[in-house]
Amino acid sequence: MDRLVATGTKLDEPFRPLMEGAPVQRTTIIGLGLLALLGCTPATAADLSTTIASMTEPAQGAYTFLHEHPELGKKEFKAQTYLEDALKQFGFTEFIASTEAPTAVIAILDSGRPGPTIALRAEMDARPLERNAVEPTSHMPRSQIDGLMHNCGHDIHASILLGTAGILIANKERFSGKIVFLFQPAEETPGGADDIVHEKILERLGVKAIFAEHVAPGMPIGTIGIAPDFALAGSNYFHLKIKGRGSHAAAPNEGSDTPLVAARMAIELSEYPARHLDIANKPVVISVTQFLADGNAGNVIPADADVSGTIRSFENISLGENGEPSLEQKLDLLVSRMASEAGVNYDWAVRPGAPATRNDPALFEQIIAPLGRTWPGMLDTHPGRGMFSEDFSYYTGVMPALYFSIGVSKDGRGLAGVHTKEFDAHPDIFAHGLRLMTTLAVIGTAGKMDWQ
């Protein structure tokens, strides 16, 4: 497919303050703790503060472009062009192509001095909105593509990572080793992180640790959250096709009454964890997300129905323990029993999604103390797990990794949940996101951690 090039967009404009040394319009100042980590003198400290402050508005400019031009997974052609062009303007010359994830943007920053190689990752893809849904007209910027929206924050993550790249290449004399900037496609669909991992790109580059952030609605601006071990659940997707006998609506006894059968099965599947599993110690959430029983007429009871949804768990649902059947086997038996009692045939399939996301405990211990000394807001390290899932988990399965939550809520903004059309974030997120990712890069390339 030919790459689509964004027209009418001056990519150099958002970055002109950094390139030309124009006066800084915002006052985002990096903390003295981070300057100490860099070993900066007072003179160089002012330069670094200016660089970081000058990147806040360019990051917002990148966000505006990405938000207005949302693209689905593996179709992020405009985003790819925008990010590559911006990185080249910063001075990046080394890029790695991905065969399996061709819209990925992977840029290398080499300090020229011995040191560890780390990766900073952000996603690029948007999501389809629900049928007939549109982004609120009050949002600014607002999606220009009907039916598509960046309502999971990937445009924010990519913009912050782009700004971080600009900061670090302007200050690369202060670092050792290499930094890999990974702009990853297709987080919302199969074939994003799993393709990157399968292709062994990071392994070939010698990456020893990887870091990422994700916006957290409802968490105040200035707060970041991180805890060791499992943070996000793994996902699995099920589809149940019920095959019965149709009938006239006036004579349900002559058919299978399939819609009611499907409804009962959907309820039993959703309620199964609470009544049959130890969810206090091993949480499981089964959610029905699609239900279709269409008779194409108000007086027809259809013969067939479809029920689909997700199974969220921190454990592998295909593996049993202590001789017990696995959760997948238990659900197979449940569906079989329900279908037999209703007198219908069925097709039942479970497809694995992303595994659970795990923050490496050793890397957490090495990073958290210096991060705590430099972060000016709240650093929440209380243990906590969420039933959301993320394909960042594929990286956590092959190398030490940390996945941070970062607050986006302030002044009534940043409260709506991800994957809703109301999702937004307070603009102060860019200053804090740049600070977080820059700090992680500084700490991660300091050469004081043993990640072998």
Side-chain angles (χ1 to χ4, degrees), residues 34-339:
L34 179 54
L35 299 176
L37 275 174
L38 287 166
C40 300
T41 63
T44 60
D47 295 339
L48 185 61
S49 298
T50 299
T51 303
I52 291 177
S54 69
M55 285 307 305
T56 303
E57 289 189 33
Q60 289 179 305
Y63 163 72
T64 295
F65 177 84
L66 295 174
H67 191 86
E68 289 180 346
H69 301 87
E71 298 167 297
L72 296 178
K74 293 204 169 181
K75 298 180 181 179
E76 307 94 335
F77 305 111
K78 291 182 180 180
Q80 182 184 45
T81 299
Y82 185 98
L83 294 168
E84 284 184 350
D85 287 352
L87 289 165
K88 289 175 183 177
Q89 289 184 38
F90 285 148
F92 281 84
T93 58
E94 186 176 358
F95 294 85
I96 305 297
S98 170
T99 301
E100 298 187 24
T103 52
V105 178
I106 306 172
I108 313 300
L109 174 58
D110 188 348
S111 70
R113 293 177 294 279
T117 299
I118 67 167
L120 304 176
R121 173 265 198 175
E123 319 93 306
M124 303 161 63
D125 57 327
R127 303 187 69 259
L129 289 169
E130 295 181 18
R131 186 177 303 175
N132 299 322
V134 295
E135 184 172 7
T137 56
S138 60
H139 283 193
M140 191 62 67
R142 185 171 179 267
S143 172
Q144 296 181 3
I145 309 298
D146 290 343
L148 297 183
M149 179 183 170
H150 270 290
N151 60 357
C152 199
H154 297 177
D155 49 351
I156 298 173
H157 306 159
S159 302
I160 288 172
L161 185 58
L162 178 63
T164 302
I167 293 168
L168 294 174
I169 196 170
N171 293 275
K172 68 177 183 178
E173 71 281 358
R174 295 182 171 97
F175 305 96
S176 298
K178 298 180 181 180
I179 302 173
V180 177
F181 296 89
L182 171 55
F183 297 86
Q184 177 211 299
E187 191 280 325
E188 298 286 354
T189 59
D194 44 336
D195 279 348
I196 300 292
V197 170
H198 180 262
E199 204 171 342
K200 299 185 183 299
I201 292 175
L202 300 184
E203 181 179 327
R204 294 199 307 269
L205 293 173
V207 174
K208 299 302 181 183
I210 186 169
F211 303 89
E213 63 179 355
H214 199 290
V215 295
M219 181 183 286
I221 285 283
T223 299
I224 54 176
I226 182 74
D229 220 325
F230 287 105
L232 300 175
S235 61
N236 299 270
Y237 299 86
F238 69 83
H239 178 251
L240 172 62
K241 177 75 173 182
I242 302 170
K243 304 174 181 179
R245 302 183 314 280
S247 70
H248 194 285
N253 57 296
E254 294 179 359
S256 302
D257 214 0
T258 303
L260 285 184
V261 171
R264 293 188 185 104
M265 295 176 81
I267 291 171
E268 284 210 44
L269 283 167
S270 300
E271 292 179 345
Y272 185 85
R275 289 290 180 255
H276 300 276
L277 303 175
D278 180 12
I279 58 173
N281 295 301
K282 296 181 179 180
V284 175
V285 173
I286 299 177
S287 295
V288 173
T289 59
Q290 293 178 307
F291 188 102
L292 177 63
D294 188 359
N296 294 319
N299 60 353
V300 174
I301 299 178
D304 299 339
D306 291 271
V307 180
S308 301
T310 68
I311 306 166
R312 306 294 176 113
S313 173
F314 292 94
E315 283 71 40
N316 187 330
I317 69 168
S318 298
L319 300 178
E321 294 182 350
N322 303 319
E324 289 288 318
S326 67
L327 175 56
E328 187 172 356
Q329 290 171 326
K330 292 177 180 179
L331 294 176
D332 290 347
L333 292 173
L334 171 65
V335 172
S336 176
R337 174 184 62 78
M338 291 189 295

Side-chain angles (χ1 to χ4, degrees), residues 341-362:
E341 291 174 352
V344 296
N345 295 317
Y346 70 96
D347 291 327
W348 165 256
V350 176
R351 174 178 63 84
T357 298
R358 182 175 183 267
N359 287 324
D360 185 79

Side-chain angles (χ1 to χ4, degrees), residues 216-221 407-409 413-417:
M219 181 183 286
I221 285 283
V408 297
S409 176
R413 299 188 62 177
L415 298 175

